[in-house]
Amino acid sequence: MTDGVVERSRPRDRILETARDMFHKHGIKGVGVDAITEAAGTNKMTLYRHFESKDELIVECLRANAAKAGAMWDAFEAEFPGDKLAQLHAWVRKAAAMLNADGRGCDMANAAAELTEPDHPARLVIRELKEVQRQRLVTLCRDAGIGQAELLADTLSLLFEGARVSVQTVGAEGPSTQFVRMAEGLIVSFRGTAAG
């Protein structure tokens, strides 16, 4: 890559960032280590010095994505300290923004679809991240005063995942345009149920 920032970064970081970008754009199975090393301005020997295999590189890319997701939750708390309902609405807005980002969907879900081997090391990372994300949303719903926090969190998660698939299959002008309205309606409905 010719970007000045990427050129000055350490080889491991360059490889990791390049692989994350390429896996996102072209899929895990659509990108080989030769293409990654070429795009990162390095060589296979350097890649294998930092990552024992392509599978380990995939796992590290997914972990980097998980760290980015963790930062998202921290940003909600920083923007709306102590206001869990506002943080839940911020989650809806962030989810909607992610839908319109590039149409490629969730890197974790895409990786799970590509890596069909049940014992692939990345599948454990994917499962762990999805479970952490679910638990954080459940906790946020509960702390926002939602009586059926798990049900709302699961409903919002499935709505979001479905909207991501909708963007990938029919485009950003399809049913996913209703995501915010649907998600906000669900929150209102579940809050009304808790109050009643």
Side-chain angles (χ1 to χ4, degrees), residues 84-85 139-148 190-191 194-195:
K84 301 305 182 179
L85 186 58
T139 300
L140 184 56
C141 289
R142 185 173 295 123
D143 292 348
I146 306 296
Q148 294 180 309
F190 273 79
R191 287 191 76 216

Side-chain angles (χ1 to χ4, degrees), residues 23-87:
F23 291 157
H24 179 76
K25 289 178 181 171
H26 308 291
I28 290 171
K29 296 209 174 183
V31 178
V33 293
D34 289 329
I36 293 167
T37 56
E38 182 179 335
T42 188
N43 57 50
K44 284 169 67 171
M45 185 168 71
T46 302
L47 184 144
Y48 288 121
R49 185 178 316 125
H50 295 285
F51 306 96
E52 288 183 17
S53 64
K54 182 180 176 184
D55 286 347
E56 184 180 328
L57 177 59
I58 293 165
V59 165
E60 289 304 313
C61 287
L62 294 173
R63 285 189 177 135
N65 289 342
K68 188 175 175 184
M72 173 190 74
W73 293 97
D74 295 341
F76 297 154
E77 179 61 41
E79 187 175 357
F80 303 102
D83 188 343
K84 301 305 182 179
L85 186 58
Q87 291 175 34

Side-chain angles (χ1 to χ4, degrees), residues 120-184:
H120 193 286
R123 293 195 66 82
L124 178 62
V125 173
I126 294 164
R127 182 182 181 126
E128 286 172 356
L129 173 71
K130 289 294 189 177
E131 288 174 354
V132 165
Q133 293 298 312
R134 177 186 182 271
Q135 193 52 52
R136 288 192 87 158
L137 190 55
V138 167
T139 300
L140 184 56
C141 289
R142 185 173 295 123
D143 292 348
I146 306 296
Q148 294 180 309
E150 284 191 34
L151 183 58
L152 176 58
D154 289 345
T155 304
L156 289 171
S157 293
L158 290 172
L159 177 64
F160 180 47
E161 294 292 338
R164 283 179 152 175
V165 172
S166 177
V167 168
Q168 286 181 300
T169 57
V170 298
E173 299 304 316
S176 66
T177 60
Q178 301 296 318
F179 173 77
V180 171
R181 189 170 141 213
M182 291 175 176
E184 294 292 349

Side-chain angles (χ1 to χ4, degrees), residues 86-97:
Q87 291 175 34
L88 183 56
H89 291 294
W91 179 90
V92 170
R93 289 189 306 277
K94 178 66 173 179

Side-chain angles (χ1 to χ4, degrees), residues 98-112:
M98 291 168 63
L99 288 175
N100 297 315
D102 68 2
R104 286 290 301 139
C106 174
D107 289 332
M108 296 292 171
N110 291 343

